Amino acid sequence: EASKISSAFAIDSTGIKTITIAHGLDITPSTQKITISVIRGTPVNDWTYNQLLVVGVDGTNVTVIINVNSASTTGGATANIALNIVA
């Protein structure tokens, strides 16, 4: 089992962001055992996303994409991805 938080990604601009998270496991987890969610970094609520997907898994990393379709008006605003893998 693994629970990780990604590095911050920008939410003050629109577009697809690719986030790679090291899972720290000795195996390559199956995508069915992975859950992801968005965690607020900067305390703003003026942005939205319309796509959040696991797009890759290997022996080291889980790769996620998120599409920020409405950007925050706060310059430098960020968020993170929470990753949970159940063995």
Side-chain angles (χ1 to χ4, degrees):
E1 188 166 316
S3 295
K4 304 287 181 175
I5 304 293
S6 74
S7 297
F9 63 91
I11 58 172
D12 62 352
S13 62
T14 60
I16 294 175
K17 317 297 180 171
T18 302
I19 299 100
T20 302
I21 308 164
H23 56 66
L25 299 173
D26 294 334
I27 60 163
T28 299
S30 66
T31 55
Q32 295 89 343
K33 303 211 178 232
I34 298 171
T35 57
I36 52 176
S37 58
V38 178
I39 298 177
R40 184 170 69 174
T42 306
V44 296
N45 293 315
D46 64 341
W47 71 286
T48 60
Y49 66 94
N50 63 2
Q51 184 180 46
L52 177 64
L53 299 170
V54 173
V55 294
V57 181
D58 63 26
T60 305
N61 298 308
V62 175
T63 304
V64 174
I65 62 168
I66 184 168
N67 184 40
V68 177
N69 65 317
S70 177
S72 174
T73 58
T74 302
T78 62
N80 303 78
I81 301 295
L83 168 71
N84 189 48
I85 302 171
V86 179

